[in-house]
Amino acid sequence: RYCYERNLAVNPQGGNTGLVGGSVPVFDEIILSTALMSRIISFDKVSGILVCQAGCVLEKLNEYLGEQGFVMPLDLGAKGSCHIGGNVATNAGGLRLLRYGSLRGTVLGLEVVLADGSALDCLASLRKDNTGYDLKQLFIGSEGTLGVITAVSILCPQKPRAVNLAFLGCQSFAKVLETFTTCRAMLGEILSAYEFMDEKCMELVEGHLKLSSPVTDSPFYVLIETSGSNSTHDEEKLNNFLEQAMTSGLVTDGTVATDDKKIKASTWFIWISLIHQMLWSLRERITEALTRDGYVYKYDISLPVGKLYDLVTDTRARLGRSAKNVVGYGHLGDGNLHLNITAESYSHSLLDAIEPFVYEWTARYNGSISAEHGLGFKKKQFIQYSKPNEAIFLMQHFKAMLDPKGILNPYKTLPSSS
């Protein structure tokens, strides 16, 4: 309210882990941090509904819920520092979306402070509420441009009793796709993650981070996670799938870490936990390995699953030796590609070769130029590659209505007026 009355711009900031500059001030905005808003307000064990303030760190929430026998419906590489308010404001996706869906489905209610300082209390704890417009959806993914999220009500699933991992090698991306089709058909309801990465990713992880992969000499790698309530049932399904994948030639090599609760020795559980952590590290620490390879150009793209890796191949051919490495990895089950290009240092001519080529390529196949990271400051001028002019015009109307003075996170998400 103070800033609204004095026409002072405000930049809401949570864990500051975004990749598109959404939480970074551009000029002289006042930073409004949610770091001290870290209280868990309530948790209902019967419904699984958590109500908490926006500054709660995702990993801390997951630890709290774990003690109650539940988990957060999202999991991110930045979980140790990102805030749930920022997750909701950017509609973060992550590793569990395949199983639990997006935040647009799991967030039940929000408390939001509007540009003039008034509080909008839509902090519902109901799974069904058809009374009028679903206002919370306006703020989910709005990146702090329409209001500041201060509290969240979110539906949390029960913690799975049995978690299994399989790390597999495939000889082509066509095999990766066919393996996914077979995996989805045979694992059904227990499939919780299907991640892929190319051999360049593994080379960087092994070279820069000294992590060793249990599977080698494959052009592509797949990490599959199952989560269920019966270890015997889940292992049987996973073993049947692996047998089918191996005998049909979809997979050339692989390793499995099963969560066998029949063995009670504590040392066994520690060992299994370390194996799980090691396998996930091969996927989650790709970003860290890339930063050690040089300057990184990052692209977060949604595409029809069959076209996912073609963008990497075409970008690699286009850039040739002007780029150090061009790699592709991501959430294949969601059609989400992380295209990363590294160079020894920032080069404007290299950026010109990448953009708008990547966005034009994505638009050609009806993809999205931002699958889960938002637009922020860095991507806002490219929104037209994913949204028609009519939609952008409507978004600008929403912004003008809710923030008539334009003080909330200015210069972000929506393109500048010409």
Side-chain angles (χ1 to χ4, degrees):
R1 185 181 297 113
Y2 179 94
C3 293
Y4 186 79
E5 290 170 353
R6 292 161 179 79
N7 296 323
L8 299 173
V10 176
N11 182 181
Q13 190 176 94
N16 205 18
T17 60
L19 296 176
V20 291
S23 60
V24 180
V26 179
F27 294 111
D28 56 357
E29 301 92 296
I30 293 170
I31 295 176
L32 178 62
S33 172
T34 60
L36 297 181
M37 303 183 69
S38 56
R39 184 166 61 91
I40 294 173
I41 298 169
S42 66
F43 177 66
D44 186 333
K45 286 187 178 182
V46 177
S47 64
I49 296 171
L50 172 75
V51 181
C52 64
Q53 291 184 320
C56 291
V57 173
L58 180 59
E59 189 170 49
K60 296 294 184 184
L61 290 177
N62 209 47
E63 290 172 357
Y64 168 82
L65 289 169
E67 296 171 357
Q68 320 290 322
F70 288 77
V71 294
M72 287 296 287
L74 74 158
D75 185 20
L76 310 173
K79 56 181 171 279
S81 51
C82 66
H83 295 181
I84 186 63
N87 297 152
V88 174
T90 56
N91 190 30
L95 304 166
R96 292 178 179 163
L97 192 140
L98 178 63
R99 177 66 176 273
Y100 301 122
S102 76
L103 287 172
R104 293 197 178 277
T106 54
V107 171
L108 303 178
L110 295 175
E111 178 187 75
V112 181
V113 175
L114 302 178
D116 63 1
S118 59
L120 176 65
D121 186 353
C122 290
L123 203 59
S125 294
L126 301 171
R127 294 188 68 179
K128 287 186 171 182
D129 180 5
N130 267 351
T131 52
Y133 306 126
D134 190 0
L135 294 179
K136 69 176 180 291
Q137 296 294 348
L138 271 179
F139 302 99
I140 299 174
S142 68
E143 303 185 65
T145 62
L146 301 180
V148 180
I149 295 171
T150 52
V152 177
S153 171
I154 188 166
L155 182 65
C156 303
Q158 285 194 305
K159 188 177 183 178
R161 296 177 183 174
V163 178
N164 302 312
L165 287 177
F167 193 82
L168 312 173
C170 296
Q171 289 303 305
S172 68
F173 189 70
K175 298 287 187 186
V176 171
L177 294 175
E178 199 174 342
T179 302
F180 174 60
T181 303
T182 305
C183 173
R184 191 168 48 179
M186 296 187 70
L187 297 181
E189 79 288 351
I190 65 170
L191 179 62
S192 54
Y194 191 97
E195 301 288 307
F196 92 97
M197 57 223 82
D198 62 20
E199 61 182 338
K200 284 289 184 183
C201 290
M202 285 300 98
E203 288 174 12
L204 293 174
V205 167
E206 292 173 346
H208 292 300
L209 306 181
K210 308 306 177 188
L211 297 179
S212 58
S213 172
V215 181
T216 57
D217 300 324
S218 294
F220 294 92
Y221 299 90
V222 170
L223 179 62
I224 296 169
E225 181 188 77
T226 67
S227 303
S229 58
N230 187 314
S231 58
T232 304
H233 166 269
D234 293 0
E235 284 178 37
E236 182 181 355
K237 293 188 80 165
L238 181 59
N239 288 334
N240 288 340
F241 156 71
L242 291 172
E243 183 179 352
Q244 170 69 20
M246 294 292 284
T247 56
S248 61
L250 296 179
V251 171
T252 53
D253 195 6
T255 189
V256 180
T258 59
D259 193 5
D260 193 341
K261 293 295 192 290
K262 295 190 293 294
I263 300 176
K264 300 297 183 184
S266 61
T267 53
W268 171 265
F269 289 128
I270 293 170
W271 183 75
I272 284 293
S273 177
L274 289 173
I275 295 294
H276 279 217
Q277 186 178 352
M278 182 270 288
L279 291 178
W280 268 117
S281 290
L282 292 172
R283 162 60 182 87
E284 288 191 305
R285 296 184 68 187
I286 293 172
T287 299
E288 181 184 348
L290 284 161
T291 60
R292 298 194 186 189
D293 198 52
Y295 185 87
V296 189
Y297 302 82
K298 293 177 176 289
Y299 298 91
D300 166 46
I301 306 294
S302 269
L303 285 165
V305 178
K307 301 298 297 181
L308 211 61
Y309 201 73
D310 290 350
L311 176 55
V312 182
T313 304
D314 289 355
T315 303
R316 194 175 284 152
R318 175 180 173 84
L319 300 182
R321 294 187 177 182
S322 61
K324 189 175 180 183
N325 279 298
V326 178
V327 308
Y329 66 99
H331 319 298
L332 186 132
D334 312 321
N336 183 184
L337 169 71
H338 295 313
L339 169 68
N340 283 244
I341 299 143
T342 64
E344 291 295 344
S345 59
Y346 173 79
S347 164
H348 195 72
S349 60
L350 180 56
L351 181 63
D352 286 343
I354 300 169
E355 299 177 9
F357 167 78
V358 167
Y359 302 133
E360 290 171 345
W361 198 104
T362 302
R364 192 180 313 134
Y365 296 101
N366 300 311
S368 169
I369 66 165
S370 180
E372 59 181 2
H373 292 160
L375 295 167
F377 177 75
K378 296 178 75 173
K379 312 292 183 185
K380 62 169 187 166
Q381 292 300 126
F382 300 109
I383 189 174
Q384 73 274 8
Y385 288 103
S386 293
K387 291 290 186 290
N389 289 332
E390 294 79 5
I392 298 170
F393 183 69
L394 192 57
M395 291 180 199
Q396 290 169 330
H397 270 272
F398 282 130
K399 172 69 171 173
M401 177 182 68
L402 291 172
D403 183 17
K405 293 187 177 182
I407 70 164
L408 280 178
N409 216 11
Y411 327 112
K412 314 287 175 59
T413 305
L414 295 175
S416 304
S417 301
S418 54

